[in-house]
Amino acid sequence: MATPRINWYSGACYHITSRGNHRNDIFKDEEDFQVYLTLIYESLEYYMYEEYKVICYCLMDNHVHILISTNNSPPGKFVRRLNSKYAKYFNKKYNYIGHLFQDKYHHELIENDAQMLDTSRYIHLNPVKAKMVVKPEEYKWSSYNMYIGIKAEKNIHSDMILKYFAKERNRDLYRSFVEAKIIREIGDA
């Protein structure tokens, strides 16, 4: 199935989701997660003149979330290269035949500031929602720990989200914003 035509303009941001074929795992061990993260960096370098910026990400066992900003091109080139390179690595390592990813990828245009904030929170809370961890900072394969200052930033542009919070305390305020959703959902349960 072809990816629907993308509504693109310079500066557009998208929530990209790539899912394993038949919802199968696309990451089987820590090396796999690390290779995918390395390929994100390599793809950003490869397309440096396209000026893609990864805002945040979360790699789950059977799917990936990436919030990306585009400048000179739609996100398709970046995502196709990233997923193609990873599929080649995965297929070789596991002697896998066939499509690793279901369809090509799903994209959702971010249309306003509220949607941008909600999407970053949704991405960072994905492992909590899946009951893989209790707190988002416990999950190793997302950009959340970079956002809250536990890990040094690498290959992301947290400023595109943190700018919505008071500069002196933006990381603490972002953490409160994300974790408030956990408290609300537990209270509603």
Side-chain angles (χ1 to χ4, degrees), residues 11-65:
C13 295
Y14 299 90
H15 176 194
I16 302 294
T17 308
S18 297
R19 184 174 302 281
N21 201 18
H22 304 293
R23 296 182 184 254
N24 291 334
D25 286 353
I26 56 175
F27 304 108
K28 296 185 181 266
D29 62 23
E30 290 208 3
E31 179 186 32
D32 297 346
F33 286 102
Q34 195 57 56
V35 165
Y36 197 88
L37 290 176
T38 299
L39 289 171
I40 288 175
Y41 174 72
E42 288 177 1
S43 296
L44 289 170
E45 286 291 307
Y46 186 83
Y47 289 119
M48 78 167 102
Y49 297 110
E50 302 300 337
E51 298 181 30
Y52 295 116
K53 293 179 182 174
V54 172
I55 300 166
C56 65
Y57 65 83
C58 185
L59 312 183
M60 301 292 284
D61 291 341
N62 70 353
H63 67 282
V64 173
H65 294 276

Side-chain angles (χ1 to χ4, degrees), residues 81-107:
R81 181 182 195 278
L82 172 61
N83 287 349
S84 173
K85 292 260 186 200
Y86 182 74
K88 287 176 186 171
Y89 153 82
F90 186 94
N91 290 351
K92 183 176 181 181
K93 179 177 179 179
Y94 296 107
N95 198 27
Y96 187 81
I97 298 171
H99 296 284
L100 178 61
F101 291 99
Q102 172 184 308
D103 302 326
K104 296 201 181 205
Y105 65 92
H106 174 76
H107 63 273

